Amino acid sequence: MPGYPTQHPDRLAPSGTVPEGTTELWTDSKRYLWLIGLVVPSLAFVAFGGHLATGWSIWFWVGPIVILGIVPAIDLVAGLDRSNPPDDVIEALEQDRYYRWITYLFLPIQYVGFVSAMAVAGGWDVFGVLADQPLTTLDKVGLAISIGCIGGIGINTAHELGHKKESHERWLSKIALAQSFYGHFYIEHNRGHHVRVATPEDPASGRMGENFYQFWPRTVWGSLKSAWRLEKRRIARRGKHPFRIGNDVLNAWLMSAVLWGALIAWLGAGITPYLLIQAVVGFSLLEVVNYMEHYGMLRQKVGVGERQRYERVDPSHSWNSNNIATNVLLYHLQRHSDHHANPTRRYQTLRDFEESPVLPTGYAGMIVLSLVPPVYRRVMDPRVLAHFDGDISRANISPRKRDKYHARYPLSLVGQASSSSTHGDVEAPGSGADDEVMAARCPGCGYTYEVEVGNEPEGFAAGTAWRDIPRDWCCPDCGVREAADFVAVEKSLVD
């Protein structure tokens, strides 16, 4: 399978789950199931309609009821889906615009529901919801939490759109993030998390022994700082200060400020607490998913001396799940290994790999477990240990729990040897003789840096030599491969 380079001679290439000779017969069995993803942004209208029909306030809590109750139950009974598209249909599947329009339609439904809910919280009788009596404070809190759940799933839609090369999809990603005031995720996730994933330096990778309530402040604050640092560095390469509209962190926050400011000006300051509640619920839903996706996973150091770095991401560094209910709701987010290897790949073409560690249930059910730390650790810690063949030294462990885990699971002689060894040189092909390189290509997504063109948005003027590009500069399209990974190509091949 393409897309996963091997790091070591003794590591086998990952194997997918496509039976040979099935290309001609293959069809996307989930083609119309993807429409179920539009049920989530429609939950606001379910809440309004249910309350109108029954008068029961419980309908305002439909968001957490569906996401933390109904979907996990469906995951348990609906079974698994491990079907993969064959390699030679992926390009045509990627070009099928039907799948794109499903993600595009999420946004207008999301925002009509969001604005309507805030209007109801502000005392406007939208859809006749307040015809009988005004909402209590508890009703408004429930409605805000439900809207926050929608916004959290909206962040997943933003995630899908934000990884694409098309500029209009990247702007749609920022729009989806505006509701939760979490626009910096667009920068930190693409250029931060994908580079540092499954390492102690990544604020969005959960550590073994770290519970979600400890992870939450670390990732929220750490991601914000990382996003600002990344944009500040990019703009500094252009010789400019970061406080400008071209700063993608600031312009994303500005979109949120305008949105919230307009709602407060229209509906009054009384809706501010509900705006805050829905935002915190929304980005917390994102972060609890971040917490579980790489819990305990650790990329090992390879190379020697100054060239030592983390091994490239492979299928073993992400927890996967093939529970079909959550997969269609989250646009295959649970096929996380393929996503990290091919971030620009569209959701309908993401594949399952046998080498990927597997969660005991779908993301929705794992969210419920994450909220109860002792249960989560009891379920996940043995799986982390088994994934590393009993060698606890290979796991990403919370510093405060490291001694405890090492005492509980003593290092074997094999573990001690593997934890102190390196795996050879990792210098990328084409990274030598930089003074002669006129074009270099990302081996992951195919983006090509041309010296005569440069990359002005990244701060490299036309004519900037390849040897002057920082070795840790990340590909602007996929955000995964660094300049040190790029491969020199003939200029004629670019033309």
Side-chain angles (χ1 to χ4, degrees):
M1 284 282 185
Y4 291 113
T6 56
Q7 275 71 59
H8 318 307
D10 58 345
R11 179 175 295 175
L12 297 178
S15 46
T17 53
V18 181
E20 293 184 7
T22 58
T23 299
E24 299 82 3
L25 305 176
W26 187 87
T27 58
D28 184 6
S29 59
K30 298 190 290 288
R31 182 176 179 87
Y32 299 107
L33 288 180
W34 295 117
L35 292 169
I36 296 175
L38 297 178
V39 169
V40 173
S42 304
L43 290 179
F45 310 108
V46 173
F48 298 147
H51 181 262
L52 280 172
T54 65
W56 299 344
S57 295
I58 191 67
W59 286 100
F60 294 124
W61 297 82
V62 67
I65 290 172
V66 168
I67 292 174
L68 302 181
I70 295 176
V71 174
I74 295 175
D75 263 340
L76 292 176
V77 300
L80 306 178
D81 166 48
R82 299 198 67 192
S83 63
N84 283 342
D87 287 353
D88 52 2
V89 305
I90 285 180
E91 184 176 356
L93 198 59
E94 287 258 333
Q95 298 303 317
D96 190 337
R97 302 191 70 85
Y98 162 81
Y99 296 95
R100 304 187 193 189
W101 279 103
I102 292 176
T103 56
Y104 298 167
L105 285 172
F106 191 104
L107 272 65
I109 302 173
Q110 170 189 347
Y111 270 95
V112 171
F114 169 61
V115 173
S116 298
M118 290 300 107
V120 169
W124 283 62
D125 188 16
V126 179
F127 305 121
V129 174
L130 306 181
D132 295 332
Q133 58 183 0
L135 269 59
T136 66
T137 299
L138 187 60
D139 292 340
K140 295 178 181 179
V141 169
L143 183 58
I145 290 175
S146 290
I147 292 300
C149 290
I150 296 170
I153 304 300
I155 294 177
N156 178 62
T157 304
H159 168 262
E160 170 66 21
L161 295 168
H163 273 296
K164 302 304 171 280
K165 300 178 182 180
E166 291 80 357
S167 60
H168 71 277
E169 292 191 272
R170 295 187 174 189
W171 275 103
L172 287 174
S173 174
K174 293 182 183 181
I175 292 172
L177 291 165
Q179 173 183 327
S180 300
F181 225 116
Y182 222 57
H184 57 279
F185 168 79
Y186 167 80
I187 295 299
E188 155 55 23
H189 179 82
N190 289 24
R191 288 159 44 197
H193 171 64
H194 270 263
V195 176
R196 300 185 302 249
V197 62
T199 70
E201 292 80 12
D202 181 31
S205 291
R207 299 166 178 169
M208 191 175 184
E210 176 183 47
N211 66 50
F212 173 63
Y213 306 103
Q214 295 163 338
F215 172 80
W216 189 92
R218 180 172 73 85
T219 189
V220 171
W221 179 239
S223 296
L224 190 156
K225 289 194 299 181
S226 174
W228 180 258
R229 184 168 56 248
L230 288 165
E231 270 300 88
K232 182 178 179 181
R233 184 187 305 166
R234 179 181 71 87
I235 296 172
R237 290 197 294 261
R238 300 163 63 184
K240 299 178 180 179
H241 64 79
F243 296 96
R244 59 185 57 253
I245 197 67
N247 183 320
D248 282 328
V249 172
L250 291 183
N251 60 47
W253 285 347
L254 181 61
M255 292 172 68
S256 294
V258 170
L259 173 65
W260 284 29
L263 288 172
I264 291 171
W266 170 36
L267 300 168
I271 68 163
T272 304
Y274 307 111
L275 284 170
L276 292 171
I277 289 172
Q278 65 85 28
V280 172
V281 169
F283 67 70
S284 296
L285 196 58
L286 160 75
E287 298 299 1
V288 73
V289 170
N290 275 338
Y291 168 68
M292 71 180 72
E293 284 175 334
H294 307 282
Y295 178 79
M297 297 293 101
L298 180 64
R299 288 154 59 198
Q300 306 302 314
K301 289 286 187 72
V302 295
V304 292
E306 295 181 355
R307 289 183 294 183
Q308 189 177 63
R309 54 193 297 209
Y310 287 108
E311 62 183 326
R312 294 174 186 168
V313 181
D314 69 26
S316 70
H317 298 131
S318 303
W319 290 99
N320 277 17
S321 171
N322 282 301
N323 291 82
I324 191 168
T326 312
N327 256 331
V328 296
L329 285 177
L330 297 180
Y331 305 122
H332 263 165
L333 181 66
Q334 296 178 141
R335 292 191 170 182
H336 213 59
S337 295
D338 199 5
H339 166 67
H340 268 276
N342 301 285
T344 60
R345 178 165 286 171
R346 295 186 181 274
Y347 68 92
Q348 67 270 23
T349 61
L350 292 175
R351 302 159 297 172
D352 168 56
F353 288 91
E354 294 176 348
E355 292 79 3
S356 302
V358 180
L359 294 171
T361 187
Y363 278 11
M366 292 305 299
I367 290 173
V368 177
L369 292 183
S370 299
L371 300 179
V372 188
V375 176
Y376 184 84
R377 285 196 298 270
R378 177 165 298 202
V379 170
M380 289 302 298
D381 284 4
R383 285 174 166 80
V384 175
L385 192 64
H387 177 65
F388 291 116
D389 300 320
D391 184 358
I392 197 68
S393 71
R394 294 164 58 194
N396 184 8
I397 305 174
S398 171
R400 71 179 77 183
K401 296 290 184 67
R402 185 172 290 117
D403 291 342
K404 180 178 178 181
Y405 274 100
H406 284 180
R408 182 182 302 172
Y409 309 108
L411 294 178
S412 65
L413 293 177
V414 174
Q416 293 179 36
S418 64
S419 64
S420 61
S421 65
T422 58
H423 302 281
D425 196 302
V426 294
E427 185 172 0
S431 58
D434 286 341
D435 55 337
E436 299 177 359
V437 173
M438 299 305 295
R441 178 168 294 161
C442 172
C445 70
Y447 164 83
T448 301
Y449 177 85
E450 300 177 56
V451 170
E452 68 177 11
V453 176
N455 190 317
E456 189 64 33
E458 289 291 312
F460 305 126
T464 301
W466 180 243
R467 64 177 176 273
D468 295 331
I469 304 297
R471 297 296 88 183
D472 62 351
W473 173 70
C474 290
C475 172
D477 277 358
C478 71
V480 173
R481 297 301 182 86
E482 297 176 333
D485 296 322
F486 276 46
V487 178
V489 294
E490 294 291 337
K491 183 64 173 61
S492 59
L493 296 179
V494 178
D495 297 334

